[in-house]
Each structure stands twice: as C-alpha cells, then as structure tokens.
Amino acid sequence: MGFFSKIKETLTKTRTAIVERVTELVTGRPHIDATVLSDLEEILISADFGPDIAARIVADVKQRVQKGESDSSGLKRLIRDALIKLLPSSSNEMPTNKPHVVLLVGVNGSGKTTTLGKLANYYSKQGLSVIAAAGDTFRAAAVEQLEVWAKRSGADFISAKEGADPASVAHDAVSAGVSRNRDIVLIDTAGRLQAKKNLMAELEKVVRVIGKALPGAPHEVLLVLDGTTGQNALSQADIFGKQAGVTGLILTKLDGTAKGGFVFAIKERLDLPVKWIGTGEKMDDLEPFDAVSFAEAVVGE
C-alpha cells in the first residue's frame, strides 16, 4: 500500500467531517458565493484548522473564484490547492552525516517510543545501520518496548537501568555510533519526569551532552505529536519548539480523530516542517510526509 492509500485511510475521519459538509454545502448551488465561503470557514474551523488558517484558505478560494473559477463542483479542488500552499512537502533525503543523530521529543503518550522503533525499521530497510537508544529511563515500559522494536528492526540497542541519567544514555549512544561506524543514532527521551526535575532543563542537558560527544549533533530534533489532541497539540509544539530546538514534526494517531486540520495550524505557528506521518500500528506504518497526498486525502480528491 503506497503513501496515498495509507494516509487516505488514516485521515478517513477528518475527510468525512469535511467532505460530507462541503458536499451538502454546495448541493443546489451552481456557483461558489458569499454564503458558501462563509459556511466553508465554519466547516474548516470545526475540523480544527483554527480561525486563522480557515480564513486563509477561504481567502485563497475567494481569490480563485474572483478569477472565474466559481463552479461549485470544483470547490474541493480549490480547497486542496490552498492546503498544498500552506503545507509544502519537506525533504527526507538520506542523511549525509555519519552517524546522523536524531533526538525524539514529546509528551508521554504521543507515540514517541513506537515511532522511534518505526524509524529504526525504515532506515534499516534502506540499508542503513541503526542504533536505538532508550533515553526515557524514567519509564521501564518504554525501555522494554524499544528493545523489542530494536530487535525486530535489527538495530543495536543502548539502554541503562531505570532512573539513570538520560544524558548519559544519549552520550553512550552517540559514542557507540561513532566507534561502531553506524549510520543512524535514534534517541528516545522522557515526556514527563519526576516532580523535582524540569523536563525542558533535562532535554537541554541531553542536547548539550550529545553535542559534546559529536560536534554538530543532534542533526535533527523531531517533536512527536498525537493527532487526537488536535489544537491542544499547539501548546506542546510551542513549548518544545522554543526550548528543545525542534527541527521537524512527526504526527501520529491521525486515524483516531476528525480534527486533522490542526496540522496546518501547527505549521503556521511554528513554521516547522512535517517530516513523517504515522499511518498505523505496524512496523511499516510510518511514511515520509508528502503535502499533495496529504491534502488530497483531507478533501477526498
């Protein structure tokens, strides 16, 4: 199953929430008029695009209508084109650094550990050697889970005892990547720490230690966001984006929500590229993000 088929299936709830209402909106109306545009904005807001993004999409559609594309049967296509402008595809070229160090951050429950396992599997299938590091030392289940994923993908596994210093695990993983001449080092992190520890301070320490072990690393800091949280993910994106040096986003669990529009709101607020999309629970259910396929899956084109 290709990316489009997978993402179309993943976004079924979001697409249904939009397409059914858009179809109803234009039924009996041969042309896109002011009423259609006003109601379209409400539909987009209800799908968690947020008022700013909804207004921008409607403005883009209105501009096309004013240029003569007013046939109501083409409304979904106009929406799709507006979405593509808002969320361009990002580059996921094969890493040129060796080892290429990737740090995954995000709150507990976002799918961070599972996503790291899927990334390990993806890169392994590309013929790259991978190290998976269990940096979430405050959650025993995360360490055990990642070990299973690492074994399945053929990746080396680095861990420490429960409660160990996460920065130490990250340092060991990067050092192992250098000494073993591995291509990729993937490092998991905690999403919630004990009350006496500050999460952001701990992540900043991890980043500093990685940089000492390998100057220039981490080469990517990817924020994993749970799609079911919708606009609530914006606050997470704000905090992690500003304080953890996030360079890109990974979106998970979009199959469980009709609020997929939040993806566009996050891109607008942080101006960070969406790098990967989780499309299910299996090892192969992680795909590089493609804007055209995503937009088409949202509106059913």
Side-chain angles (χ1 to χ4, degrees), residues 101-117:
V101 180
V102 182
L103 189 68
L104 269 66
V105 301
V107 301
N108 284 352
S110 62
K112 217 170 40 271
T113 303
T114 298
T115 298
L116 192 150

Side-chain angles (χ1 to χ4, degrees), residues 20 249 251:
E20 286 186 356
L249 306 173
L251 306 177

Side-chain angles (χ1 to χ4, degrees), residues 184-205:
I184 307 287
V185 176
L186 303 172
I187 303 173
D188 196 10
T189 62
R192 182 179 65 249
L193 299 181
Q194 296 166 336
K196 294 182 180 180
K197 288 185 176 289
N198 179 279
L199 175 58
M200 291 305 154
E202 190 66 35
L203 289 177
E204 289 171 1
K205 178 183 175 183

Side-chain angles (χ1 to χ4, degrees), residues 2 6 21 23 26 42 69 75 88 94 128 168 179 193 198-199 215 241 266 278 294:
K6 283 188 175 182
R21 295 185 63 187
T23 300
V26 299
E42 292 183 13
E69 300 179 64
L75 181 56
M94 285 297 101
L128 301 177
S168 177
S179 64
L193 299 181
N198 179 279
L199 175 58
I266 287 176
F294 190 88

